[in-house]
Amino acid sequence: MNRYAVNKVQELGYTLFELVDTQGNGIAMITPDFGANLLSYTYKEIPVIVPPNSLQDFIEQASAHTKYGTPILFPPNRILKGTFTFGGRHYRLPLNEPPHHHLHGEISHKAWNVVDAGASDEKGAYVSCQFDFAEHPEIIAYFPHPLLFTVTHHMFEGRLTTQLTVENKGGDMAPFALGLHPYFATPSAGDGCYLTVPAAEEWPVSNLAFVQALPAETAFCESLSQGISLAAYPELGCSLLTLNGDRTCRFEMKEAGYSIAYQIDPKFPFVVLFKPDWTDAFSVEPYTYVTDAFNLPYPPELTGARGIEPQEVIHLSTAIWLEKL
């Protein structure tokens, strides 16, 4: 019997891809029709990524595509009034968080194309999906750059990796800002769960995660290095941090005797911490830039505001695994 498998699951007229590790009792569900979202993940019967109550809820609930699983965000978080200027060009994005903001982009809501999938004992189980701006005139109308996104969710030897590439297939430099929004399974109200994050500095932010001042070393950064209780973190609270070190964050379930480790690529210099009030989860969101960086009066090397050159390809990745305490 093979250790790994990829199964196609039909539900409500949609095709979902299930990655299976029979030895580790690992199951990951991917939804190409809804943002290539890593919608759920369990390993050794331990919930790791929180799904919606049902696929029907995920389809029908307002904004549900960014409230469960692992949404892919371009650009991540909010853009004030949906406008910014980059490279001498003015951009006006849809106000999808009316009346004032653009929130999380559109690629988490739209269908991606499955371009590859497979499983073997030597390589594990994986599925690769692509999203091409050139195929979406409604996006090109306000963001005139044919970017090609590829995401591969890959299960192998106890690790679930998400590998992302973004290629600029156009002739102009495009603004670049990418993020992920994983919802990690935590106990109700965070009881017995402690989070460690290798935080170098904290950015003062509003309750909508807009930057209000330059970052600094804070007592909160120091406490994150030792571990904070999620029970004490406010619902709908958010924190914006610059990372250092090996960029591995951990949720330690001290009563249950395990931790969830989340390793973040150095090309994601920042994370947002966020505690939703609609599900028992906590988000550690890797970002390539701080919220609304193109509108900030600070140096781009500090905020992560950058472009992607014509024909440039940017590679990023994250990895999740469980550890015994």
Side-chain angles (χ1 to χ4, degrees):
M1 179 178 177
N2 294 331
R3 174 173 176 175
Y4 299 101
V6 177
N7 301 320
K8 292 183 180 181
V9 179
Q10 301 296 323
E11 188 173 350
L12 299 178
Y14 299 100
T15 301
L16 289 68
F17 280 71
E18 182 184 68
L19 308 183
V20 179
D21 176 356
T22 59
Q23 183 174 313
N25 196 12
I27 301 175
M29 189 68 74
I30 319 299
T31 57
D33 289 305
F34 305 99
N37 190 320
L38 170 63
L39 194 61
S40 67
Y41 177 46
T42 60
Y43 193 76
K44 295 184 177 179
E45 299 185 352
I46 294 173
V48 180
I49 295 294
V50 176
N53 291 327
S54 68
L55 183 63
Q56 186 162 350
D57 285 349
F58 185 64
I59 295 169
E60 295 178 353
Q61 286 183 8
S63 305
H65 297 161
T66 55
K67 289 186 172 181
Y68 301 95
T70 313
I72 301 171
L73 315 176
F74 186 92
N77 222 297
R78 293 170 175 85
I79 294 178
L80 184 64
K81 298 181 180 178
T83 67
F84 65 92
T85 298
F86 177 81
R89 173 179 274 157
H90 187 66
Y91 295 83
R92 184 175 295 276
L93 280 58
L95 299 182
N96 57 5
E97 190 184 51
H100 300 302
H101 309 306
H102 180 83
L103 178 64
H104 290 332
E106 291 196 69
I107 64 177
S108 64
H109 299 258
K110 295 183 178 291
W112 292 46
N113 298 315
V114 177
V115 293
D116 196 12
S120 69
D121 284 353
E122 295 75 26
K123 294 184 179 180
Y126 67 92
V127 59
S128 297
C129 305
Q130 286 188 337
F131 189 88
D132 190 346
F133 275 12
E135 297 177 355
H136 294 269
E138 73 281 9
I139 294 178
I140 292 292
Y142 64 81
F143 192 91
H145 305 283
L147 302 186
L148 176 65
F149 297 78
T150 305
V151 61
T152 300
H153 299 292
H154 182 204
M155 181 185 291
F156 185 60
E157 294 188 344
R159 288 196 175 214
L160 183 64
T161 61
T162 296
Q163 300 163 322
L164 293 146
T165 65
V166 185
E167 180 180 1
N168 184 356
K169 300 178 73 69
D172 300 318
M173 184 168 64
F176 180 81
L178 185 69
L180 294 170
H181 200 324
Y183 288 86
F184 290 99
T186 57
S188 178
D191 291 338
C193 180
Y194 293 81
L195 172 65
T196 60
V197 177
E201 293 182 315
E202 181 181 7
W203 294 75
V205 295
S206 70
N207 65 335
L208 295 179
F210 285 114
V211 171
Q212 297 179 313
L214 289 168
E217 297 180 14
T218 64
F220 184 59
C221 292
E222 178 61 27
S223 64
L224 280 167
S225 69
Q226 304 300 317
I228 64 165
S229 170
L230 293 190
Y233 199 92
E235 285 191 342
L236 299 180
C238 64
S239 307
L240 175 58
L241 308 164
T242 300
L243 296 176
N244 64 13
D246 70 354
R247 287 177 167 79
T248 300
C249 307
R250 286 179 170 84
F251 294 90
E252 297 183 355
M253 315 297 181
K254 294 191 176 182
E255 295 178 6
Y258 71 91
S259 67
I260 300 172
Y262 188 46
Q263 188 175 61
I264 297 171
D265 193 303
K267 291 178 183 175
F268 288 116
F270 312 99
V271 294
V272 167
L273 309 184
F274 174 67
K275 187 176 184 178
D277 65 353
W278 56 86
T279 186
D280 289 336
F282 195 94
S283 288
V284 175
E285 309 171 38
Y287 287 4
T288 62
Y289 84 162
V290 301
T291 305
D292 203 26
F294 295 120
N295 283 321
L296 292 177
Y298 307 133
E301 57 268 20
L302 184 65
T303 65
R306 59 158 294 180
I308 177 170
E309 298 281 355
Q311 312 311 312
E312 181 181 1
V313 181
I314 298 175
H315 300 268
L316 312 97
S317 66
T318 62
I320 303 171
W321 67 92
L322 296 183
E323 299 172 336
K324 290 185 179 179
L325 294 179

